[in-house]
Amino acid sequence: MKFTSTESYVATEDLSLAVDAAVALERPLLVKGEPGTGKTELARQVADSLGLPIIEWHVKSTTRAQQGLYEYDAVSRLRDSQLGDERVHDVANYIKKGKLWQAFEAEGRVVLLIDEVDKADIEFPNDLLQELDRMEFFVYETGQTVRARHRPVVIITSNNEKELPDAFLRRCFFHYIRFPDPDTLRRIVEVHHPGIKEALLTAALTRFYEIRETPGIKKKPSTSEVLDWLKLLLAEDMDPADLKADGKSALPRLHGALLKNEQDVHLFERLAFMARRAER
């Protein structure tokens, strides 16, 4: 099974090799990169490309590793016991299966996405080491051991919000999704906006990379944001000449799709002001 680009996702050669290597090694693939570079979508496309179902576990700041295994609802069991419910005699009725359990008991191989692992507490990755390594865990309430029927393809994403433990990193195959170069970005745009006029695309990407490389910019626009921007440009039937920076305003047209905080908006306003002063 080899992963390649799909109809809706452009994978570079090194990314395809990273996916294939992780599958061959039977290790989780840890994917890092700027927000908006397609890390989460990668897992979905890998599942589609390999013809496998996907189970998604989206991690939040309050997520605990135990939730990925199972949760025991003792409160519901106590309430049912007070009401005389017969279900209380079987503790399994109060076990809620987590995403890892679902992946382990699946009839066939699945892709398991653990999305934005760096959002959780620093101990979260370490708490999953044994389960991801041995592909099994013990359920204390029922006394059973849950083992993976088929080792899932595990893809873990991180936005680099915090450092991950060395012991966790050692068990993963790592890949950093670099921001696409102009040629790759053109291929990505063609997937999402087929038939876009060459002159408009060239002008838009030239302006986009100028914005990304502006010194002092706090939040560089990402791949997903340039796709949104191009969608707006097409909807407004913009001309390539409309996208060029001028002395009146350094802000790009429809800049709300690209600049996501007031500091960056003020930065481009100051640049325009300085340009006007220099012309006098």
Side-chain angles (χ1 to χ4, degrees):
M1 297 193 299
K2 300 292 184 182
F3 173 65
T4 58
S5 296
T6 65
E7 290 184 359
S8 57
Y9 190 88
V10 175
T12 58
E13 184 178 356
D14 59 342
L15 177 56
S16 297
L17 289 173
V19 172
D20 293 340
V23 172
L25 291 172
E26 296 187 332
R27 288 190 178 276
L29 173 63
L30 174 61
V31 184
K32 291 187 179 183
E34 293 180 30
T37 49
K39 300 184 297 296
T40 302
E41 186 61 23
L42 170 66
R44 297 168 184 155
Q45 296 300 324
V46 167
D48 184 55
S49 176
L50 302 182
L52 302 176
I54 185 170
I55 295 175
E56 301 186 17
W57 184 14
H58 298 285
V59 177
K60 302 178 181 178
S61 59
T62 55
T63 302
R64 296 176 292 106
Q66 180 64 32
Q67 293 172 308
L69 308 180
Y70 68 93
E71 291 182 279
Y72 169 52
D73 191 352
V75 175
S76 292
R77 193 181 188 195
L78 175 61
R79 182 194 62 222
D80 288 349
S81 68
Q82 294 171 338
L83 296 174
D85 195 319
E86 290 297 320
R87 297 173 70 248
V88 299
H89 299 298
D90 186 358
V91 69
N93 291 323
Y94 303 92
I95 299 292
K96 180 183 178 182
K97 297 176 181 179
K99 299 296 185 180
L100 264 72
W101 191 331
Q102 295 173 31
F104 285 4
E105 72 172 4
E107 293 294 334
R109 200 175 196 186
V110 302
V111 172
L112 172 63
L113 167 64
I114 305 177
D115 196 31
E116 298 189 332
V117 68
D118 52 328
K119 275 189 175 180
D121 184 83
I122 189 62
E123 291 304 319
F124 178 88
N126 278 337
D127 291 343
L128 290 176
L129 287 180
Q130 180 171 312
E131 288 76 16
L132 292 177
D133 220 16
R134 299 184 180 179
M135 285 288 147
E136 66 177 36
F137 62 88
F138 186 71
V139 183
Y140 294 95
E141 288 77 8
T142 62
Q144 70 180 116
T145 298
V146 178
R147 294 186 178 88
R149 295 182 181 180
H150 308 274
R151 180 178 285 269
V153 177
V154 182
I155 297 178
I156 303 170
T157 71
S158 169
N159 286 327
N160 257 347
E161 291 185 8
K162 63 170 67 80
E163 289 295 322
L164 299 174
D166 289 344
F168 179 78
L169 295 174
R170 184 169 58 82
R171 289 167 168 82
C172 298
F173 188 91
F174 172 76
H175 182 76
Y176 183 85
I177 298 182
R178 294 180 177 84
F179 192 82
D181 57 39
D183 288 339
T184 303
L185 191 53
R186 279 176 175 272
R187 291 169 57 203
I188 293 172
V189 170
E190 276 293 334
V191 167
H192 294 271
H193 303 296
I196 186 171
K197 293 179 180 178
E198 179 63 26
L200 178 63
L201 178 57
T202 298
L205 293 187
T206 299
R207 189 76 179 100
F208 173 72
Y209 278 102
E210 286 174 355
I211 294 168
R212 272 188 61 87
E213 294 164 8
T214 300
I217 190 168
K218 183 177 180 181
K219 197 299 188 176
K220 294 182 178 182
S222 67
T223 309
S224 61
E225 287 157 345
V226 73
L227 293 174
D228 288 343
W229 187 49
L230 284 166
K231 184 177 181 179
L232 290 174
L233 297 180
L234 291 169
E236 295 294 327
D237 197 22
M238 288 286 181
D239 189 86
D242 297 329
L243 305 182
K244 294 180 180 179
D246 55 45
K248 295 181 180 179
S249 176
L251 285 168
R253 301 293 293 272
L254 301 168
H255 64 269
L258 298 176
L259 305 178
K260 298 304 176 76
N261 59 61
E262 63 276 14
Q263 293 97 321
D264 289 340
V265 173
H266 292 158
L267 169 64
F268 282 90
E269 289 174 341
R270 287 196 302 272
L271 290 173
F273 174 74
M274 293 169 63
R276 288 194 298 269
R277 287 188 60 180
E279 290 174 358
R280 292 175 184 173

